[in-house]
Amino acid sequence: MNKTLAIHGGKPVRETYLPYGKQWIDGNDINAVIATLRGDYLTTGPTIKEFEDKIADYVDAKYAVAVSNGTAALHAACFAAGIKEGDEVITTPITFAASANCALYQRAIPIFADIDPKTYNIDVCDVEKKITEKTKAIIPVDFTGQVVDLNPILKLAEKYHLTVIEDAAHALGTEYRGRKVGSISHMTTFSLHPVKHITTGEGGVITTNDEIFYRKLLLFRTHGITRNENLLENKEEGTWYYEQLALGYNYRITDIQCALGISQLERIDEFIKRRQEIVRKYNEAFAAIDGVIIPHQADFSNSSWHLYILQFELDKFKVDRKELYDALQAENIGVNVHYIPVYYHPYYQKLGYKKGLCPNAERLYERIITLPLFPNMKNKDVEDVINAVKKVLDYFRSVL
């Protein structure tokens, strides 16, 4: 291997760019979408309910509601939980902004609890410290695919009469103490974005075992409008009649998307198995490298692995994270960073949030890089990532 870094004019490890995530679409997926395009329904048809039933069955939940994207799923769950202006919702800062934005959509106040420095998931002890009389819900995030320790979270919820909305955008297929994520919390939301475990292009799902939440979710995704005669205030009109009972949104998903989702779901076990194989290869390659911390996995979590994140003890390399990131990008490795703490964003700063709220989260952010991980990666792709990381680290260590 050429030891001169590509960023310094050397030959990159790869000739072509490898993204950090990517969908895997095969002929069956394409045929499923084509069949729907040739059918009677493009949207609000029977394929949506079929997809919802299959998702609910997969995670062993009573109900599933599919919506237009993962953010819509979180927003709908906040509505169903009755979150309103002035309420507080506790979540983690190490997440995509939607995990907190969904509270703002309901005019509630996001409260950030710090993370466990080992698992990178929300710290249950800090959650309890942040609970006040205004707290309405907890939104724990299954970061990278590793499930939060749900039992203590649910005990807190019971103690303080809170709703747990589990953001499992990263965790479709993950198991918590032998149970699939999606059947445990009061509501669980999933993302179906192309880099996730299965995709509908864009899309999201909420699962729950609570019929009241289920009915509210259905209402919310269609403008708050219903034709259900059991819910109508004026029951004397004809079958054409409908009523708006709440201020909902147009968060509908289409039959086209759900046809793709059904086809993708048939291969989810294959997708997860391959993700886990790649993670094992990464762990074997990086575990013994001084200054590199591989992801810790709690014994209660069997992760489906959405993201693979390395943490660097930067004092052992005498470079900052940006230099490592730029060097890996130059080797044509599509590394990323997940995530910028939510309250670092200018919008949140203008709302009054200040740096220093969650020291563990802030320290982690400065030291992490996400490596490519998706099921259609070839073994050569995995080797390229490993070789590029070792090449870059060897160089920066050797120049000390």
Side-chain angles (χ1 to χ4, degrees), residues 44-307:
T44 61
T47 310
I48 296 170
K49 184 64 165 63
E50 181 184 355
F51 177 59
E52 290 171 337
D53 289 346
K54 287 182 180 294
I55 286 284
D57 183 65
Y58 178 74
V59 303
D60 198 27
K62 288 184 179 179
Y63 308 105
V65 177
V67 291
S68 53
N69 53 64
T71 302
L74 284 163
H75 187 191
C78 286
F79 169 83
I83 294 168
K84 61 186 185 304
E85 186 170 2
D87 289 339
E88 293 178 350
V89 176
I90 299 173
T91 192
T92 170
I94 298 297
T95 184
F96 186 62
S99 306
N101 289 349
C102 60
L104 294 176
Y105 298 154
Q106 293 297 105
R107 300 181 181 273
I109 302 165
I111 302 295
F112 296 101
D114 210 347
I115 62 167
D116 180 321
K118 279 187 80 172
T119 66
Y120 311 158
N121 276 331
I122 199 166
D123 182 342
V124 179
C125 293
D126 201 40
V127 169
E128 186 163 23
K129 292 176 185 177
K130 301 292 173 69
I131 293 173
T132 72
E133 61 183 14
K134 295 181 179 180
T135 306
K136 184 78 172 184
I138 306 169
I139 303 181
V141 176
D142 299 329
F143 182 54
T144 75
Q146 175 164 222
V147 63
V148 174
D149 195 358
L150 289 173
N151 284 347
I153 293 282
L154 290 167
K155 285 179 181 177
L156 280 183
E158 183 177 10
K159 179 179 178 181
Y160 294 101
H161 309 291
L162 308 176
T163 302
V164 177
I165 302 169
E166 183 183 353
D167 182 346
H170 295 186
L172 184 61
T174 290
E175 293 182 357
Y176 175 70
R177 302 188 186 278
R179 294 177 63 189
K180 281 275 190 350
V181 162
S183 62
I184 304 165
S185 297
H186 301 132
M187 286 179 278
T188 305
T189 67
F190 298 98
S191 169
L192 304 172
H193 182 274
V195 298
K196 300 304 197 300
H197 293 87
I198 66 169
T199 187
T200 55
E202 285 281 3
V205 180
I206 313 102
T207 58
T208 184
N209 292 322
D210 187 304
E211 185 176 1
I212 294 174
F213 286 153
Y214 174 61
R215 298 299 174 190
K216 289 181 178 179
L217 293 167
L218 289 176
L219 196 67
F220 190 69
R221 77 169 174 193
T222 55
H223 301 279
I225 289 173
T226 184
R227 294 179 182 272
N228 186 331
E229 62 180 16
N230 295 321
L231 300 177
L232 298 178
E233 294 186 10
N234 183 352
K235 303 180 187 298
E236 304 304 320
E237 300 286 349
T239 56
W240 52 268
Y241 186 69
Y242 59 88
E243 291 178 345
Q244 181 178 340
L245 303 180
L247 182 59
Y249 287 71
N250 181 358
Y251 279 160
R252 294 190 298 261
I253 196 169
T254 69
D255 281 59
I256 301 168
Q257 292 168 288
C258 288
L260 175 58
I262 291 168
S263 179
Q264 286 264 298
L265 191 60
E266 291 176 359
R267 291 193 291 153
I268 190 169
D269 292 340
E270 175 190 356
F271 291 163
I272 292 172
K273 180 180 178 182
R274 179 56 179 160
R275 286 177 177 272
Q276 292 172 337
E277 287 172 352
I278 294 168
V279 167
R280 283 194 291 271
K281 290 177 184 292
Y282 281 164
N283 284 344
E284 290 168 5
F286 302 133
I289 298 179
D290 187 35
V292 174
I293 301 172
I294 64 172
H296 170 79
Q297 289 294 287
D299 57 9
F300 54 73
S301 175
N302 182 16
S303 178
S304 57
W305 287 101
H306 167 51
L307 299 174

Side-chain angles (χ1 to χ4, degrees), residues 325-378:
Y325 177 92
D326 289 345
L328 287 166
Q329 283 281 341
E331 301 294 337
N332 278 326
I333 305 299
V335 291
N336 209 321
V337 174
H338 294 89
Y339 288 96
I340 301 166
V342 174
Y343 57 79
Y344 275 25
H345 293 301
Y347 182 83
Y348 278 82
Q349 294 282 299
K350 290 173 185 176
L351 291 177
Y353 294 86
K354 304 295 183 185
K355 293 183 179 181
L357 282 176
C358 299
N360 291 337
E362 294 178 19
R363 183 171 183 270
L364 179 73
Y365 165 62
E366 300 293 338
R367 294 155 52 102
I368 54 174
I369 291 177
T370 304
L371 302 186
L373 176 60
F374 54 94
N376 204 20
M377 284 178 69
K378 307 298 186 285

